[in-house]
Amino acid sequence: MKVTFLGATRTVTGSNFLVEACGKKFLVDCGMWQGKAELELQNAEEFEFNPNDIDFMLLTHAHIDHSGRIPKLYDQGFRNKIYAHKATCDLCALMLPDSGHIQEMENEWKNRKRKRKGESEIPPLYTAEEAARCLEIFEPVQYDEIVEITPDIHVRFNDAGHMLGSSIIELWTKEEGKETKTVFTGDLGNSDIPLLDSPTMIESADYLIMESTYGSRMHLRNDEKAELFLDIVSETLDNEGSVVIPSFAVGRTQEILYELNKLKETKDDQEFRRKYKTLMRSNVYVDSPLAISATEVFRENTNLFEEQIQEEIMKGDNPLEFPGLKFTQTADESKALNEDNTPSIIISASRYV
Ligand SMILES: [Zn+2]
Protein backbone atom coordinates (compact mmCIF):
# COMPACT_ATOMS: atom_id res chain seq x y z
CA MET A 1 0.00 0.00 0.00
CA LYS A 2 1.17 3.47 -0.80
CA VAL A 3 -0.25 6.66 0.73
CA THR A 4 0.57 10.06 -0.78
CA PHE A 5 -0.15 13.14 1.31
CA LEU A 6 -1.43 15.76 -1.12
CA GLY A 7 -2.93 18.25 1.32
CA ALA A 8 -3.29 19.32 4.96
CA THR A 9 0.44 18.96 5.51
CA ARG A 10 2.30 21.96 6.98
CA THR A 11 -1.10 23.67 6.84
CA VAL A 12 -4.58 22.69 8.01
CA THR A 13 -6.66 22.88 4.83
CA GLY A 14 -6.80 21.07 1.48
CA SER A 15 -7.12 17.57 3.00
CA ASN A 16 -6.39 15.02 0.31
CA PHE A 17 -4.76 11.59 0.49
CA LEU A 18 -4.13 9.31 -2.45
CA VAL A 19 -4.08 5.63 -1.53
CA GLU A 20 -2.85 2.89 -3.85
CA ALA A 21 -3.62 -0.64 -2.68
CA CYS A 22 -4.94 -3.96 -4.01
CA GLY A 23 -4.56 -2.71 -7.59
CA LYS A 24 -6.88 0.25 -6.89
CA LYS A 25 -6.34 3.96 -6.54
CA PHE A 26 -8.59 5.91 -4.22
CA LEU A 27 -8.81 9.20 -2.37
CA VAL A 28 -9.55 10.05 1.22
CA ASP A 29 -11.07 13.57 1.18
CA CYS A 30 -10.61 16.19 -1.53
CA GLY A 31 -10.74 19.48 0.32
CA MET A 32 -10.32 23.06 -0.67
CA TRP A 33 -7.31 25.15 0.26
CA GLN A 34 -8.54 27.99 2.44
CA GLY A 35 -6.90 30.95 4.11
CA LYS A 36 -4.12 33.03 2.60
CA ALA A 37 -4.48 34.14 -1.03
CA GLU A 38 -1.38 32.17 -2.20
CA LEU A 39 -2.80 29.04 -0.58
CA GLU A 40 -6.17 29.49 -2.27
CA LEU A 41 -4.45 29.81 -5.65
CA GLN A 42 -3.56 26.13 -5.31
CA ASN A 43 -7.27 25.27 -5.79
CA ALA A 44 -6.96 26.14 -9.48
CA GLU A 45 -3.87 23.96 -9.98
CA GLU A 46 -4.03 20.57 -11.69
CA PHE A 47 -4.58 17.55 -9.47
CA GLU A 48 -1.41 15.52 -8.90
CA PHE A 49 -3.28 12.45 -10.20
CA ASN A 50 -5.61 11.80 -13.10
CA PRO A 51 -9.22 12.00 -11.77
CA ASN A 52 -10.20 9.36 -14.36
CA ASP A 53 -7.83 6.85 -12.71
CA ILE A 54 -9.49 7.07 -9.29
CA ASP A 55 -11.62 4.02 -8.46
CA PHE A 56 -13.53 5.52 -5.50
CA MET A 57 -13.31 8.07 -2.74
CA LEU A 58 -13.87 8.06 1.02
CA LEU A 59 -15.05 11.33 2.58
CA THR A 60 -14.56 11.91 6.32
CA HIS A 61 -16.93 14.90 6.70
CA ALA A 62 -18.64 17.79 4.95
CA HIS A 63 -16.43 20.75 5.93
CA ILE A 64 -15.21 22.46 2.77
CA ASP A 65 -11.52 21.98 3.61
CA HIS A 66 -12.25 18.23 3.26
CA SER A 67 -14.90 18.23 0.49
CA GLY A 68 -14.53 21.49 -1.45
CA ARG A 69 -12.67 20.21 -4.53
CA ILE A 70 -15.10 17.33 -5.20
CA PRO A 71 -17.02 19.38 -7.84
CA LYS A 72 -13.72 20.00 -9.63
CA LEU A 73 -12.93 16.28 -9.47
CA TYR A 74 -16.34 15.50 -10.97
CA ASP A 75 -15.92 18.16 -13.64
CA GLN A 76 -12.64 16.52 -14.70
CA GLY A 77 -14.29 13.18 -15.26
CA PHE A 78 -14.43 11.39 -11.91
CA ARG A 79 -17.72 9.45 -11.87
CA ASN A 80 -17.08 6.65 -9.38
CA LYS A 81 -18.58 6.41 -5.90
CA ILE A 82 -17.89 8.71 -2.97
CA TYR A 83 -18.59 6.85 0.27
CA ALA A 84 -19.67 9.17 3.08
CA HIS A 85 -21.93 9.06 6.11
CA LYS A 86 -25.56 9.88 5.28
CA ALA A 87 -25.49 13.16 7.24
CA THR A 88 -22.31 14.14 5.37
CA CYS A 89 -24.18 13.55 2.09
CA ASP A 90 -27.10 15.70 3.37
CA LEU A 91 -24.74 18.49 4.40
CA CYS A 92 -22.69 18.36 1.19
CA ALA A 93 -25.94 18.82 -0.73
CA LEU A 94 -26.11 22.27 0.91
CA MET A 95 -22.49 23.15 1.40
CA LEU A 96 -21.03 22.34 -2.03
CA PRO A 97 -23.55 24.44 -4.01
CA ASP A 98 -23.06 27.18 -1.41
CA SER A 99 -19.31 26.94 -1.97
CA GLY A 100 -19.97 27.18 -5.74
CA HIS A 101 -22.00 30.32 -5.15
CA ILE A 102 -19.07 31.84 -3.22
CA GLN A 103 -16.68 30.89 -6.07
CA GLU A 104 -18.96 32.67 -8.54
CA MET A 105 -19.19 35.82 -6.44
CA GLU A 106 -15.47 35.98 -5.70
CA ASN A 107 -14.67 35.30 -9.34
CA GLU A 108 -16.94 38.11 -10.51
CA TRP A 109 -15.05 40.49 -8.25
CA LYS A 110 -11.66 39.18 -9.46
CA ASN A 111 -12.74 39.49 -13.09
CA ARG A 112 -13.78 43.11 -12.58
CA LYS A 113 -10.25 43.76 -11.33
CA ARG A 114 -8.72 41.82 -14.24
CA LYS A 115 -10.83 43.76 -16.74
CA ARG A 116 -9.62 47.07 -15.34
CA LYS A 117 -6.06 45.86 -15.87
CA GLY A 118 -6.92 44.81 -19.43
CA GLU A 119 -6.57 41.11 -18.60
CA SER A 120 -8.91 38.41 -19.90
CA GLU A 121 -11.69 36.97 -17.73
CA ILE A 122 -11.26 33.61 -15.99
CA PRO A 123 -14.01 31.11 -15.07
CA PRO A 124 -14.80 30.34 -11.41
CA LEU A 125 -13.39 27.13 -9.88
CA TYR A 126 -16.96 25.83 -10.14
CA THR A 127 -20.46 27.27 -10.03
CA ALA A 128 -23.34 26.41 -7.68
CA GLU A 129 -24.99 24.55 -10.55
CA GLU A 130 -21.85 22.55 -11.32
CA ALA A 131 -21.44 21.71 -7.63
CA ALA A 132 -24.95 20.29 -7.48
CA ARG A 133 -24.09 17.78 -10.24
CA CYS A 134 -21.47 15.86 -8.25
CA LEU A 135 -24.04 14.93 -5.60
CA GLU A 136 -25.24 12.03 -7.78
CA ILE A 137 -22.08 10.01 -7.08
CA PHE A 138 -22.38 10.20 -3.27
CA GLU A 139 -23.02 6.81 -1.66
CA PRO A 140 -24.44 7.18 1.87
CA VAL A 141 -23.25 4.75 4.55
CA GLN A 142 -24.10 4.40 8.24
CA TYR A 143 -21.78 4.31 11.22
CA ASP A 144 -20.41 0.98 12.42
CA GLU A 145 -21.24 -1.09 9.33
CA ILE A 146 -18.50 -2.85 7.40
CA VAL A 147 -18.66 -1.81 3.75
CA GLU A 148 -17.09 -4.20 1.26
CA ILE A 149 -15.81 -2.00 -1.54
CA THR A 150 -13.95 -4.86 -3.24
CA PRO A 151 -13.26 -8.36 -1.85
CA ASP A 152 -9.87 -7.02 -0.65
CA ILE A 153 -10.86 -3.54 0.50
CA HIS A 154 -13.22 -3.06 3.44
CA VAL A 155 -14.04 0.12 5.34
CA ARG A 156 -16.00 1.12 8.42
CA PHE A 157 -17.13 4.66 9.28
CA ASN A 158 -17.14 5.52 13.01
CA ASP A 159 -18.46 8.64 14.75
CA ALA A 160 -15.61 11.20 15.01
CA GLY A 161 -17.68 13.59 17.18
CA HIS A 162 -16.41 16.61 15.21
CA MET A 163 -19.54 17.60 13.27
CA LEU A 164 -22.74 15.92 12.16
CA GLY A 165 -21.79 12.84 10.11
CA SER A 166 -18.04 13.22 10.75
CA SER A 167 -16.22 9.92 10.54
CA ILE A 168 -13.08 8.13 11.60
CA ILE A 169 -12.52 5.67 8.76
CA GLU A 170 -11.07 2.22 9.38
CA LEU A 171 -9.64 0.74 6.20
CA TRP A 172 -8.69 -2.92 5.78
CA THR A 173 -6.68 -3.90 2.73
CA LYS A 174 -5.57 -7.41 1.86
CA GLU A 175 -2.44 -7.75 -0.28
CA GLU A 176 -0.54 -10.99 -0.91
CA GLY A 177 -2.59 -12.73 1.76
CA LYS A 178 -1.72 -10.18 4.44
CA GLU A 179 -4.30 -7.82 5.90
CA THR A 180 -3.30 -4.28 6.90
CA LYS A 181 -5.50 -1.91 8.88
CA THR A 182 -5.11 1.82 8.33
CA VAL A 183 -7.13 4.42 10.22
CA PHE A 184 -7.89 7.92 8.93
CA THR A 185 -9.24 10.05 11.77
CA GLY A 186 -10.42 13.01 9.68
CA ASP A 187 -11.04 15.93 12.06
CA LEU A 188 -11.57 14.74 15.62
CA GLY A 189 -14.07 16.12 18.13
CA ASN A 190 -13.64 16.49 21.86
CA SER A 191 -15.52 14.25 24.25
CA ASP A 192 -17.66 17.17 25.48
CA ILE A 193 -18.75 18.79 22.20
CA PRO A 194 -22.35 19.96 22.59
CA LEU A 195 -25.02 17.88 20.86
CA LEU A 196 -22.75 15.28 19.32
CA ASP A 197 -21.63 11.95 20.66
CA SER A 198 -18.01 11.51 21.79
CA PRO A 199 -15.53 10.22 19.23
CA THR A 200 -15.51 6.43 18.90
CA MET A 201 -12.49 4.75 20.44
CA ILE A 202 -10.60 2.76 17.84
CA GLU A 203 -8.93 -0.22 19.45
CA SER A 204 -6.13 -0.95 17.01
CA ALA A 205 -4.41 0.03 13.77
CA ASP A 206 -1.30 -0.86 11.83
CA TYR A 207 -1.10 2.71 10.53
CA LEU A 208 -2.82 5.78 11.98
CA ILE A 209 -3.19 8.98 9.97
CA MET A 210 -4.58 11.69 12.18
CA GLU A 211 -5.21 15.41 12.36
CA SER A 212 -3.31 17.30 15.03
CA THR A 213 -4.52 20.87 14.56
CA TYR A 214 -5.21 21.55 18.25
CA GLY A 215 -2.83 18.87 19.51
CA SER A 216 -0.89 21.23 21.74
CA ARG A 217 -3.71 23.44 22.98
CA MET A 218 -5.73 23.26 26.19
CA HIS A 219 -9.42 23.98 25.60
CA LEU A 220 -11.85 25.41 28.14
CA ARG A 221 -14.43 22.91 29.29
CA ASN A 222 -17.72 23.42 27.49
CA ASP A 223 -19.75 24.13 30.65
CA GLU A 224 -17.21 26.86 31.61
CA LYS A 225 -17.54 28.28 28.10
CA ALA A 226 -21.33 28.35 28.42
CA GLU A 227 -21.17 30.37 31.66
CA LEU A 228 -18.66 32.83 30.25
CA PHE A 229 -20.90 33.15 27.23
CA LEU A 230 -23.97 33.89 29.38
CA ASP A 231 -22.03 36.58 31.35
CA ILE A 232 -21.00 38.41 28.18
CA VAL A 233 -24.39 38.15 26.53
CA SER A 234 -26.40 39.24 29.58
CA GLU A 235 -24.09 42.19 30.29
CA THR A 236 -24.65 43.48 26.75
CA LEU A 237 -28.40 42.93 26.88
CA ASP A 238 -28.58 44.64 30.31
CA ASN A 239 -26.94 47.67 28.70
CA GLU A 240 -29.57 47.69 25.93
CA GLY A 241 -27.07 46.43 23.39
CA SER A 242 -27.30 43.68 20.81
CA VAL A 243 -24.87 40.80 20.61
CA VAL A 244 -23.58 39.78 17.20
CA ILE A 245 -22.02 36.33 17.24
CA PRO A 246 -20.03 35.50 14.13
CA SER A 247 -20.27 31.78 13.66
CA PHE A 248 -19.46 29.06 11.16
CA ALA A 249 -22.69 28.16 9.41
CA VAL A 250 -22.49 24.48 9.98
CA GLY A 251 -21.72 23.01 13.35
CA ARG A 252 -20.90 26.04 15.50
CA THR A 253 -24.26 27.75 14.92
CA GLN A 254 -26.11 24.65 16.05
CA GLU A 255 -23.80 24.30 19.06
CA ILE A 256 -24.52 27.88 20.12
CA LEU A 257 -28.27 27.31 19.79
CA TYR A 258 -27.88 24.24 21.94
CA GLU A 259 -25.77 26.05 24.58
CA LEU A 260 -28.33 28.85 24.74
CA ASN A 261 -31.09 26.35 25.38
CA LYS A 262 -29.14 24.20 27.81
CA LEU A 263 -27.97 26.97 30.15
CA LYS A 264 -31.24 26.82 32.06
CA GLU A 265 -30.40 23.47 33.63
CA THR A 266 -26.88 24.17 34.72
CA LYS A 267 -27.34 26.32 37.86
CA ASP A 268 -30.01 27.73 40.08
CA ASP A 269 -28.58 30.71 41.98
CA GLN A 270 -30.62 33.92 41.68
CA GLU A 271 -28.17 35.98 39.65
CA PHE A 272 -27.84 33.14 37.18
CA ARG A 273 -31.64 32.84 36.92
CA ARG A 274 -31.90 36.57 36.28
CA LYS A 275 -29.30 36.46 33.52
CA TYR A 276 -30.92 33.45 32.00
CA LYS A 277 -34.35 35.12 31.99
CA THR A 278 -32.90 38.19 30.27
CA LEU A 279 -31.43 35.90 27.67
CA MET A 280 -34.62 33.91 27.13
CA ARG A 281 -36.74 37.06 26.82
CA SER A 282 -34.56 38.27 23.95
CA ASN A 283 -34.93 37.47 20.32
CA VAL A 284 -32.25 35.22 18.90
CA TYR A 285 -31.86 35.63 15.16
CA VAL A 286 -30.01 33.19 12.95
CA ASP A 287 -29.00 35.36 10.03
CA SER A 288 -27.72 33.07 7.28
CA PRO A 289 -29.53 30.97 4.67
CA LEU A 290 -26.92 28.22 4.91
CA ALA A 291 -27.14 28.04 8.71
CA ILE A 292 -30.92 27.76 8.42
CA SER A 293 -30.79 24.82 6.00
CA ALA A 294 -27.99 23.22 8.00
CA THR A 295 -30.07 23.50 11.19
CA GLU A 296 -32.81 21.64 9.31
CA VAL A 297 -30.33 18.85 8.50
CA PHE A 298 -29.39 18.72 12.21
CA ARG A 299 -33.08 18.45 13.13
CA GLU A 300 -33.53 15.60 10.65
CA ASN A 301 -30.56 13.66 12.03
CA THR A 302 -31.23 13.82 15.76
CA ASN A 303 -30.49 10.06 15.95
CA LEU A 304 -26.81 11.10 15.82
CA PHE A 305 -27.06 13.31 18.91
CA GLU A 306 -25.80 12.07 22.26
CA GLU A 307 -28.24 9.78 24.06
CA GLN A 308 -29.31 12.20 26.78
CA ILE A 309 -30.34 14.77 24.16
CA GLN A 310 -32.26 12.17 22.22
CA GLU A 311 -34.22 11.44 25.42
CA GLU A 312 -34.94 15.16 25.89
CA ILE A 313 -36.19 15.34 22.31
CA MET A 314 -38.49 12.35 22.96
CA LYS A 315 -39.91 14.33 25.90
CA GLY A 316 -40.60 17.24 23.55
CA ASP A 317 -37.60 19.46 24.40
CA ASN A 318 -35.68 19.95 21.18
CA PRO A 319 -32.38 21.73 21.90
CA LEU A 320 -32.52 23.47 18.55
CA GLU A 321 -35.89 25.07 19.28
CA PHE A 322 -36.90 27.74 21.79
CA PRO A 323 -39.44 30.58 21.92
CA GLY A 324 -37.22 33.55 21.01
CA LEU A 325 -35.50 31.80 18.09
CA LYS A 326 -36.10 33.39 14.71
CA PHE A 327 -34.57 32.69 11.33
CA THR A 328 -34.21 35.48 8.77
CA GLN A 329 -35.45 34.04 5.50
CA THR A 330 -34.86 36.89 3.06
CA ALA A 331 -32.21 39.53 2.40
CA ASP A 332 -34.78 42.20 3.39
CA GLU A 333 -35.42 40.53 6.75
CA SER A 334 -31.68 40.38 7.26
CA LYS A 335 -31.26 44.07 6.43
CA ALA A 336 -34.15 44.97 8.76
CA LEU A 337 -32.03 43.73 11.69
CA ASN A 338 -29.78 46.77 11.16
CA GLU A 339 -32.69 49.12 11.85
CA ASP A 340 -33.99 47.25 14.90
CA ASN A 341 -32.89 48.78 18.22
CA THR A 342 -34.38 46.08 20.44
CA PRO A 343 -31.58 44.31 22.34
CA SER A 344 -31.20 40.94 20.66
CA ILE A 345 -28.75 38.20 19.78
CA ILE A 346 -27.77 37.80 16.15
CA ILE A 347 -25.92 34.69 15.08
CA SER A 348 -24.49 35.68 11.77
CA ALA A 349 -22.85 32.79 10.04
CA SER A 350 -19.92 33.08 7.73
CA ARG A 351 -20.61 31.52 4.35
CA TYR A 352 -17.03 30.43 4.03
CA VAL A 353 -16.81 27.29 6.12
ZN1 LIG B 1 -13.76 19.79 10.00
Side-chain angles (χ1 to χ4, degrees):
M1 185 173 67
K2 185 179 166 195
V3 181
T4 314
F5 294 73
L6 298 172
T9 49
R10 298 180 192 276
T11 180
V12 296
T13 61
S15 274
N16 188 207
F17 307 101
L18 171 67
V19 186
E20 291 162 83
C22 314
K24 301 282 177 197
K25 278 187 181 185
F26 55 96
L27 300 177
V28 179
D29 293 349
C30 192
M32 194 175 269
W33 303 96
Q34 293 177 304
K36 290 194 183 118
E38 321 84 272
L39 199 61
E40 294 194 356
L41 279 177
Q42 284 179 226
N43 290 318
E45 282 173 19
E46 287 295 310
F47 286 115
E48 290 177 60
F49 49 83
N50 181 348
N52 291 290
D53 291 346
I54 303 299
D55 294 293
F56 62 93
M57 176 178 160
L58 308 170
L59 176 61
T60 60
H61 66 293
H63 279 148
I64 291 299
D65 58 332
H66 292 256
S67 68
R69 280 185 295 160
I70 294 174
K72 176 175 167 176
L73 204 60
Y74 182 90
D75 182 55
Q76 298 195 357
F78 176 68
R79 291 290 185 279
N80 293 324
K81 285 180 181 166
I82 298 174
Y83 297 90
H85 187 273
K86 184 198 159 284
T88 299
C89 300
D90 291 350
L91 287 171
C92 279
L94 304 173
M95 293 169 74
L96 291 177
D98 186 74
S99 168
H101 180 67
I102 294 164
Q103 305 302 321
E104 287 176 62
M105 289 196 311
E106 285 189 347
N107 196 62
E108 220 178 278
W109 176 77
K110 278 183 201 152
N111 274 343
R112 270 204 296 271
K113 249 169 90 175
R114 292 176 70 89
K115 227 173 154 182
R116 277 200 298 271
K117 284 194 214 155
E119 294 168 357
S120 59
E121 293 194 3
I122 45 162
L125 190 62
Y126 52 86
T127 63
E129 209 185 311
E130 283 162 356
R133 286 186 205 141
C134 73
L135 300 169
E136 62 159 355
I137 57 172
F138 277 70
E139 182 75 17
V141 298
Q142 298 294 343
Y143 286 140
D144 307 324
E145 67 180 32
I146 304 262
V147 182
E148 185 181 311
I149 295 177
T150 75
D152 294 326
I153 303 176
H154 297 178
V155 294
R156 178 164 61 189
F157 285 62
N158 305 272
D159 197 340
H162 165 70
M163 82 174 307
L164 204 70
S166 65
S167 306
I168 300 168
I169 302 174
E170 292 170 288
L171 163 74
W172 290 270
T173 46
K174 204 191 255 175
E175 288 178 301
E176 292 162 13
K178 189 178 173 279
E179 191 168 70
T180 306
K181 180 179 171 186
T182 310
V183 173
F184 291 89
T185 65
D187 286 355
L188 283 175
N190 284 326
S191 50
D192 66 343
I193 276 198
L195 287 175
L196 301 178
D197 248 339
S198 301
T200 307
M201 283 297 157
I202 304 295
E203 300 284 329
S204 65
D206 295 308
Y207 298 100
L208 174 66
I209 295 166
M210 72 183 296
E211 72 123 351
S212 54
T213 311
Y214 296 118
S216 60
R217 204 180 293 177
M218 289 296 285
H219 285 285
L220 269 182
R221 287 209 326 267
N222 262 307
D223 52 349
E224 291 172 14
K225 261 192 258 175
E227 260 195 81
L228 262 177
F229 179 70
L230 179 66
D231 286 347
I232 295 166
V233 170
S234 60
E235 190 188 332
T236 312
L237 295 174
D238 284 347
N239 290 319
E240 305 281 300
S242 285
V243 185
V244 178
I245 306 171
S247 169
F248 295 142
V250 179
R252 293 273 189 275
T253 302
Q254 290 73 22
E255 283 171 29
I256 290 172
L257 292 179
Y258 171 68
E259 288 295 350
L260 286 173
N261 196 10
K262 200 186 72 169
L263 280 168
K264 62 174 182 274
E265 289 133 35
T266 51
K267 271 179 147 192
D268 62 1
D269 67 83
Q270 269 196 345
E271 180 57 10
F272 181 87
R273 287 267 151 226
R274 188 194 67 75
K275 286 178 182 171
Y276 182 73
K277 269 190 191 151
T278 317
L279 179 82
M280 280 299 126
R281 268 201 308 269
S282 321
N283 289 326
V284 178
Y285 295 99
V286 175
D287 185 29
S288 150
L290 179 61
I292 296 165
S293 337
T295 303
E296 275 309 309
V297 174
F298 271 68
R299 283 175 176 161
E300 283 160 17
N301 285 281
T302 50
N303 62 315
L304 302 176
F305 292 179
E306 56 186 287
E307 218 166 289
Q308 190 200 336
I309 298 171
Q310 289 195 37
E311 281 166 21
E312 285 167 22
I313 294 170
M314 298 287 272
K315 283 188 233 145
D317 185 10
N318 191 325
L320 297 179
E321 284 166 13
F322 48 93
L325 182 63
K326 294 181 172 59
F327 291 94
T328 58
Q329 304 284 357
T330 63
D332 284 342
E333 279 175 29
S334 178
K335 278 181 201 152
L337 293 179
N338 295 336
E339 314 296 324
D340 191 351
N341 288 328
T342 326
S344 47
I345 298 164
I346 301 160
I347 302 173
S348 177
S350 150
R351 294 180 65 95
Y352 285 78
V353 180

Short mmCIF file of all heavy atoms in Angstrom, two decimals, residues 60-66 162-163 166 186-188 353, ligand 1:
data_model
loop_
_atom_site.label_atom_id
_atom_site.label_comp_id
_atom_site.label_asym_id
_atom_site.label_seq_id
_atom_site.Cartn_x
_atom_site.Cartn_y
_atom_site.Cartn_z
N THR A 60 -14.41 11.95 4.86
CA THR A 60 -14.56 11.91 6.32
C THR A 60 -15.68 12.81 6.83
O THR A 60 -16.41 12.43 7.73
CB THR A 60 -13.24 12.31 7.04
OG1 THR A 60 -12.88 13.65 6.66
CG2 THR A 60 -12.11 11.35 6.73
N HIS A 61 -15.83 14.02 6.27
CA HIS A 61 -16.93 14.90 6.70
C HIS A 61 -17.12 16.05 5.72
O HIS A 61 -16.35 16.21 4.78
CB HIS A 61 -16.74 15.39 8.14
CG HIS A 61 -15.57 16.31 8.34
ND1 HIS A 61 -14.27 15.92 8.22
CD2 HIS A 61 -15.53 17.63 8.69
CE1 HIS A 61 -13.47 16.93 8.49
NE2 HIS A 61 -14.20 17.99 8.77
N ALA A 62 -18.19 16.83 5.97
CA ALA A 62 -18.64 17.79 4.95
C ALA A 62 -17.90 19.13 4.93
O ALA A 62 -18.08 19.90 3.99
CB ALA A 62 -20.15 18.05 5.12
N HIS A 63 -17.11 19.45 5.95
CA HIS A 63 -16.43 20.75 5.93
C HIS A 63 -15.68 20.93 4.61
O HIS A 63 -15.07 20.00 4.09
CB HIS A 63 -15.45 20.87 7.11
CG HIS A 63 -16.12 21.26 8.40
ND1 HIS A 63 -15.68 20.84 9.61
CD2 HIS A 63 -17.20 22.04 8.64
CE1 HIS A 63 -16.45 21.34 10.57
NE2 HIS A 63 -17.38 22.07 10.00
N ILE A 64 -15.71 22.18 4.12
CA ILE A 64 -15.21 22.46 2.77
C ILE A 64 -13.71 22.17 2.63
O ILE A 64 -13.25 21.79 1.55
CB ILE A 64 -15.54 23.94 2.40
CG1 ILE A 64 -17.06 24.09 2.22
CG2 ILE A 64 -14.82 24.42 1.16
CD1 ILE A 64 -17.67 23.23 1.12
N ASP A 65 -12.95 22.29 3.73
CA ASP A 65 -11.52 21.98 3.61
C ASP A 65 -11.27 20.47 3.46
O ASP A 65 -10.14 20.04 3.28
CB ASP A 65 -10.70 22.59 4.76
CG ASP A 65 -11.15 22.13 6.13
OD1 ASP A 65 -12.34 21.81 6.29
OD2 ASP A 65 -10.31 22.10 7.06
N HIS A 66 -12.35 19.68 3.51
CA HIS A 66 -12.25 18.23 3.26
C HIS A 66 -13.03 17.80 2.01
O HIS A 66 -12.78 16.75 1.45
CB HIS A 66 -12.75 17.44 4.47
CG HIS A 66 -11.85 17.58 5.66
ND1 HIS A 66 -10.97 16.60 6.05
CD2 HIS A 66 -11.64 18.63 6.50
CE1 HIS A 66 -10.28 17.02 7.10
NE2 HIS A 66 -10.67 18.24 7.39
N HIS A 162 -16.93 15.29 15.60
CA HIS A 162 -16.41 16.61 15.21
C HIS A 162 -17.51 17.49 14.62
O HIS A 162 -17.61 18.67 14.92
CB HIS A 162 -15.27 16.39 14.22
CG HIS A 162 -14.87 17.60 13.45
ND1 HIS A 162 -14.21 18.66 14.03
CD2 HIS A 162 -15.01 17.93 12.14
CE1 HIS A 162 -13.98 19.58 13.11
NE2 HIS A 162 -14.46 19.17 11.96
N MET A 163 -18.35 16.93 13.79
CA MET A 163 -19.54 17.60 13.27
C MET A 163 -20.53 16.52 12.86
O MET A 163 -20.16 15.34 12.84
CB MET A 163 -19.21 18.49 12.05
CG MET A 163 -19.13 17.70 10.77
SD MET A 163 -18.91 18.66 9.26
CE MET A 163 -20.21 19.85 9.29
N SER A 166 -19.51 13.34 10.85
CA SER A 166 -18.04 13.22 10.75
C SER A 166 -17.59 11.81 11.12
O SER A 166 -18.15 11.20 12.02
CB SER A 166 -17.34 14.25 11.64
OG SER A 166 -17.61 13.99 12.99
N GLY A 186 -9.73 11.78 10.09
CA GLY A 186 -10.42 13.01 9.68
C GLY A 186 -10.24 14.00 10.82
O GLY A 186 -9.31 13.86 11.64
N ASP A 187 -11.11 15.01 10.92
CA ASP A 187 -11.04 15.93 12.06
C ASP A 187 -11.69 15.25 13.25
O ASP A 187 -12.74 14.62 13.12
CB ASP A 187 -11.79 17.23 11.74
CG ASP A 187 -11.00 18.10 10.76
OD1 ASP A 187 -9.86 17.73 10.42
OD2 ASP A 187 -11.54 19.14 10.35
N LEU A 188 -11.07 15.41 14.41
CA LEU A 188 -11.57 14.74 15.62
C LEU A 188 -12.27 15.73 16.55
O LEU A 188 -11.79 16.83 16.75
CB LEU A 188 -10.41 14.11 16.38
CG LEU A 188 -9.84 12.81 15.84
CD1 LEU A 188 -8.62 12.42 16.65
CD2 LEU A 188 -10.89 11.70 15.89
N VAL A 353 -17.24 28.59 5.63
CA VAL A 353 -16.81 27.29 6.12
C VAL A 353 -18.02 26.38 6.27
O VAL A 353 -19.04 26.82 6.70
CB VAL A 353 -16.07 27.41 7.46
CG1 VAL A 353 -15.63 26.02 7.93
CG2 VAL A 353 -14.86 28.28 7.30
ZN ZN B 1 -13.76 19.79 10.00
#
